[in-house]
Amino acid sequence: MSTRYPIGYPIDQDFATFAGVRPSGMMGGILRLNAKTEVYDYGIVPMSDMEVRMVGIASYGAYVPILRLSRATIAGAVGGSPSLGERTVANFDEDSITMAVEASFDCLKGINKKEVDALYFASTTPPYAEKQCAALIAAVLDLDSSVMAADFVGSTRSGTIAMKAAMDSVKAGSARKVLVVAADCRAGVPGSDIEKYSGDGAAAVLIAEDGAVSIDTGFVMTDEFTFNWRKADDAFVRGWEERFIMNEGTATMKNAAAGIAKVSGVAIKDVTKAIIYGPNYRQMVAAAGAAGINAKTQLQGAAILDSIGNTGAAQVLMALTTVLEKAKAGESILMVNYGDGADAYLLKVNQAINPVPGRRGLSGFSGSKIMLGNYHNFLQLCNLVKGPDEGKLHSSLTALWRERKSVYACYGVKCKKCGDTQYPVQRVCGMCMAKDNFDLVCLAEKKGRLVTFTKEMGQDVGYPKVWSVVELEGGCRYFTVLTDVDPHPMTAESVDLPCEMTFRMFREAGGFFNYIWKCRPQRMAKEQDGKH
């Protein structure tokens, strides 16, 4: 009985020494766990026992919030020399869960969601310390109740660790398709480099057997080193002296890159494209150089740091989605991530992942944005400047559980007698009065047009709340809040505005987060006018 590690690749004495593996048995073969000693060793395993499944990426998706803050605006408020570029900012009703939902829907375009056997959520900023966020995301995606859900938290490397777990699940045959989604909303101390160079965003990949992009080789290292950290009661990510921590991080990623080159037999200089973790552009280029990656011809994803920022657990996967958008058959991709160790993967593009109607990807979401006008707005959105006290709010977990399919997966009903579609779910048709004669209809991915709206002043971090009625495809009139919009210039001419659904936080009440489906103006691949 043996367990193969990492993917059943041939090794030799040199690699065993490099990886710190205890040599035993015959030379050559694959890594395995000795059942008696619980120590990894290597030896020859009969081919009949190997049953190696090839795994890869079958689909991908991403999400970028619409709000941006220029680093020049940050410098103007807190001092210091202005830096180039901007960072993304989650809106007041966004968090790691809502962004993960967006990236997941983007990834699953054109795919039967019932084929997803597991969902792994990765983040350093999960809204809940005790409660599984992956289960909530699975409910919103309307995945089957038999799905395996798990959270991977606490490290900027959580995203690729979740991907490794997904690969192992598919290889072992316990799952056919695993959705891995990473999302983060990182906050740094006001005026710090972490605040300036961080960003908010999400990315998702679907791991499956025989994916279009195979993951040929993996190499994982664990290293206890306090790089960035945030205690349970901390509001901000902390970091030690920059040069010290990055020297250590660069050395660890260099070793991971050397390890993957040794395992695969592919020299770093021969890979087509490379992605490596870095908290800012300068340090990413330095880490790439140490690992043997040519910053001019191979390094990918550096531009994301200028336009989005370091998105923590999602950063490397977001960079990967930009590479996959333009990947061509035959290309190889090296991916190196860092956080309490490092891991590296070598991907091969067997065939390009064809564009899917409706999938925006990172480039699609990045094309539309609204610039924040000042630093004070940013602090409000980060909940660092409190707005008016709304008083004690109440919410009912019992009612939420009873209506969870309607609240989370956004199911309405369609009357079998008159054909009218209505939301929320009810027993009597408001049009023909037929009773208990409905089909359930999912409205989550419907688009629509604004029918009417009103502004409630003094709400939502100082901006009017825009209560709206949106007519969705199929005729359902949906009453909700319009978000991701500057309400001030909205006039009667705004009626008929193209809208789409988006899963957002409504409020914190009853001691837990309350989420609902809102609407927003359709995200277009061009910069929107106005400031927030």
Side-chain angles (χ1 to χ4, degrees):
M1 185 69 181
S2 65
T3 300
R4 295 170 293 278
Y5 177 87
I7 313 181
Y9 293 96
I11 62 171
D12 56 20
Q13 179 67 62
D14 290 342
F15 172 70
T17 302
F18 173 83
V21 176
R22 189 195 68 172
S24 68
M26 302 177 64
M27 293 297 295
I30 63 174
L31 286 172
R32 64 186 180 187
L33 180 66
N34 188 307
K36 294 182 179 179
T37 63
E38 295 293 314
V39 173
Y40 281 105
D41 58 19
Y42 64 92
I44 294 176
V45 174
M47 289 299 294
S48 58
D49 190 35
M50 295 183 70
E51 298 178 359
V52 175
R53 290 181 170 87
M54 297 305 295
V55 299
I57 297 173
S59 185
Y60 63 87
Y63 175 72
V64 180
I66 199 168
L67 299 181
R68 306 285 196 281
L69 180 67
S70 74
R71 297 190 177 104
T73 300
I74 297 176
V78 301
S81 55
S83 302
L84 297 176
E86 57 200 32
R87 57 158 295 166
T88 52
V89 181
N91 210 337
F92 70 93
D93 55 0
E94 293 186 298
D95 62 15
S96 297
I97 285 180
T98 65
M99 294 195 298
V101 167
E102 293 271 8
S104 297
F105 271 112
D106 198 47
C107 179
L108 296 177
K109 293 289 184 188
I111 294 173
N112 182 358
K113 290 185 284 189
K114 300 303 178 185
E115 295 178 357
V116 177
D117 294 324
L119 187 155
Y120 297 160
F121 169 66
S123 179
T124 64
T125 54
Y128 285 107
E130 179 172 341
K131 186 203 169 346
Q132 195 181 60
C133 298
L136 199 160
I137 296 168
V140 177
L141 297 177
D142 197 26
L143 301 184
D144 194 271
S145 60
S146 64
V147 72
M148 169 69 180
D151 290 353
F152 293 74
V153 300
S155 170
T156 52
R157 200 158 54 97
S158 300
T160 48
I161 292 173
M163 193 182 79
K164 175 69 166 61
M167 292 162 52
D168 290 346
S169 297
V170 173
K171 283 172 50 192
S174 64
R176 296 164 300 172
K177 294 180 180 177
V178 182
L179 178 64
V180 177
V181 58
D184 252 339
C185 298
R186 291 162 63 79
V189 175
S192 67
D193 279 355
I194 293 177
E195 177 193 59
K196 185 164 57 177
Y197 293 113
S198 291
D200 305 328
V205 291
L206 186 66
I207 303 297
E209 193 172 356
D210 298 326
V213 179
S214 61
I215 306 174
D216 290 345
T217 314
F219 186 88
V220 179
M221 299 175 63
T222 296
D223 178 38
E224 162 47 34
F225 179 71
T226 305
F227 171 55
N228 287 137
W229 73 94
R230 182 167 57 85
K231 302 195 307 294
D233 56 348
D234 281 344
F236 306 107
V237 179
R238 300 170 183 266
W240 202 248
E241 195 269 327
E242 178 184 299
R243 186 175 55 180
F244 168 65
I245 60 177
M246 276 315 298
N247 284 345
E248 178 66 19
T250 297
T252 306
M253 287 189 281
K254 175 185 176 182
N255 289 338
I260 198 75
K262 188 72 176 178
V263 172
S264 65
V266 177
I268 301 299
K269 65 180 180 59
D270 292 332
V271 299
T272 312
K273 297 175 179 175
I275 299 163
I276 193 166
Y277 176 84
N280 56 52
Y281 177 80
R282 177 172 53 83
Q283 293 175 342
M284 175 183 284
V285 171
I293 298 168
N294 189 313
K296 293 183 178 179
T297 60
Q298 294 175 297
L299 183 62
Q300 307 291 312
I304 294 177
L305 292 174
D306 275 343
S307 60
I308 294 176
N310 172 17
T311 54
Q315 186 199 7
V316 166
L317 292 184
M318 291 181 77
L320 177 62
T321 65
T322 64
V323 173
L324 295 179
E325 287 178 7
K326 300 177 181 178
K328 299 177 181 177
E331 291 183 339
S332 55
I333 304 168
L334 170 67
M335 183 168 67
V336 184
N337 202 3
Y338 179 67
D340 302 287
D343 49 15
Y345 303 90
L346 188 62
L347 292 71
K348 182 178 179 182
V349 182
N350 301 314
Q351 62 184 62
I353 300 177
N354 295 325
V356 175
R359 179 196 290 150
R360 293 185 171 103
L362 191 140
S363 61
F365 279 112
S366 298
S368 57
K369 61 183 179 181
I370 298 175
M371 297 302 297
L372 289 172
N374 58 68
Y375 186 70
H376 181 78
N377 290 155
F378 170 68
L379 294 181
Q380 284 183 307
L381 293 169
C382 295
N383 208 25
L384 298 176
V385 176
K386 300 292 183 182
D389 187 1
E390 295 186 66
K392 190 172 182 179
L393 300 174
H394 298 276
S395 193
S396 169
L397 278 172
T398 307
L400 180 60
W401 175 81
R402 189 169 53 239
E403 305 294 337
R404 62 192 184 283
K405 197 169 183 68
S406 177
V407 174
Y408 287 151
C410 200
Y411 271 88
V413 290
K414 183 175 182 179
C415 180
K416 293 180 181 179
K417 182 178 179 182
C418 70
D420 193 63
T421 302
Q422 298 159 26
Y423 184 93
V425 174
Q426 49 199 312
R427 295 188 62 189
V428 178
C429 177
M431 298 299 289
C432 69
M433 302 299 155
K435 185 178 180 182
D436 295 331
N437 193 26
F438 295 100
D439 288 324
L440 287 172
V441 179
C442 184
L443 305 174
E445 296 185 80
K446 299 287 187 183
K447 298 188 184 319
R449 291 187 175 277
L450 183 64
V451 175
T452 186
F453 66 92
T454 186
K455 304 175 188 177
E456 183 180 356
M457 305 303 294
Q459 302 293 318
D460 293 345
V461 292
Y463 295 95
K465 180 179 290 182
V466 183
W467 290 101
S468 308
V469 175
V470 175
E471 183 162 309
L472 301 174
E473 297 165 326
C476 177
R477 289 205 167 187
Y478 190 86
F479 176 64
T480 188
V481 175
L482 191 68
T483 189
D484 283 1
V485 65
D486 181 356
H488 296 296
M490 290 188 69
T491 65
E493 295 180 356
S494 301
V495 171
D496 216 30
L497 179 73
C499 296
E500 60 189 0
M501 305 292 284
T502 181
F503 186 71
R504 296 296 176 93
M505 187 191 299
F506 182 55
R507 65 188 185 188
E508 183 179 354
F512 60 94
F513 299 111
N514 293 250
Y515 298 91
I516 63 171
W517 282 88
K518 298 182 180 180
C519 283
R520 69 181 175 209
Q522 287 187 31
R523 296 280 295 268
M524 306 295 183
K526 63 179 182 180
E527 186 169 348
Q528 296 184 354
D529 295 330
K531 291 186 176 181
H532 206 278

